[in-house]
Amino acid sequence: MRTVELFAGGGGLAIGLKQAGFKPKAIIEFNRHACQTLRKNHLTDSEHFLYEGDVRLFNYDQIARTENECIQLVSGGPPCQPFSLGGNHKAFNDDRDMFPEAVRAIRELKPQAFIFENVKGLLRKSFSAYFEYILLQLQFPDKNKYPDETWETHYERLKKTVMPAMTMH
């Protein structure tokens, strides 16, 4: 099964997935030192693409895919600093909030599954609406945010999408 790893760091999650039989099709990491570690951990070779750069600039079309070679899993650990108990607690106002990029990967790659890990601080009450917004985007990736739309307005629109589905059960 083929994976794309975002925000790979030194590759802990990628190593575990590789040991479980997954094959990383692409690994995306911004930090050059982490990329050196990824190379030393033998997570990259001629078949697997390491993108050393800003995920916001990554074009998923550059991952050669055919019908028989779709991406089954997107995984990664979006930076935790915006949500960490020890940080500035800026969440969606922090330039390091990469959850929009995690959602973009799901939207564009359409994997069968995804795994994202983050810090406990993301579950704080002050971030509860934003956390629910992230979950709704992952649940309804085809409901794009409009270019001039705030995350709050998009969140309200997504909640309206869920309401009819909830009342049908």
Side-chain angles (χ1 to χ4, degrees), residues 7-8 22 30 36 40-41 58 63 73 88 90 94 100 124 131-133 137-139 141 149 151-154 159 167:
F7 327 108
F22 289 86
F30 181 76
Q36 290 172 349
K40 287 182 181 180
N41 284 335
F58 188 76
I63 303 170
L73 178 71
N88 292 329
K90 290 184 178 181
D94 191 316
R124 282 186 283 175
F131 181 65
E132 185 177 342
Y133 172 60
Q137 288 182 93
L138 292 169
Q139 187 177 1
E149 191 173 35
W151 78 264
E152 293 95 343
T153 306
H154 187 219
K159 287 195 300 188
T167 57

Side-chain angles (χ1 to χ4, degrees), residues 21-131:
F22 289 86
K23 296 180 190 233
K25 187 71 175 168
I27 298 174
I28 304 165
E29 175 53 48
F30 181 76
N31 183 284
R32 67 181 174 91
H33 300 293
C35 288
Q36 290 172 349
T37 301
L38 289 165
R39 289 181 190 99
K40 287 182 181 180
N41 284 335
H42 306 288
L43 287 169
T44 62
D45 58 34
S46 61
E47 288 183 41
H48 308 113
F49 181 71
L50 174 62
Y51 178 79
E52 187 172 338
D54 190 336
V55 70
R56 293 172 286 200
L57 304 175
F58 188 76
N59 178 355
Y60 291 101
D61 291 337
Q62 63 188 308
I63 303 170
R65 295 186 307 264
T66 64
E67 223 173 278
N68 296 332
E69 199 179 68
C70 64
I71 302 299
Q72 283 87 17
L73 178 71
V74 172
S75 60
C80 63
Q81 293 90 338
F83 310 100
S84 175
L85 296 172
N88 292 329
H89 319 286
K90 290 184 178 181
F92 49 86
N93 289 320
D94 191 316
D95 290 340
R96 297 169 294 182
D97 174 22
M98 291 293 137
F99 276 104
E101 290 304 314
V103 171
R104 181 174 74 91
I106 300 304
R107 185 174 289 129
E108 293 184 21
L109 293 171
K110 298 177 181 18
Q112 294 172 354
F114 59 85
I115 299 171
F116 294 119
E117 62 84 20
N118 211 273
V119 293
K120 181 180 176 180
L122 179 59
L123 300 177
R124 282 186 283 175
K125 186 172 174 60
S126 59
F127 300 145
S128 63
Y130 189 64
F131 181 65

Side-chain angles (χ1 to χ4, degrees), residues 140-155:
F140 299 100
D142 292 332
K143 303 286 184 193
N144 291 334
K145 181 177 168 285
Y146 302 133
D148 61 342
E149 191 173 35
T150 65
W151 78 264
E152 293 95 343
T153 306
H154 187 219
Y155 174 48

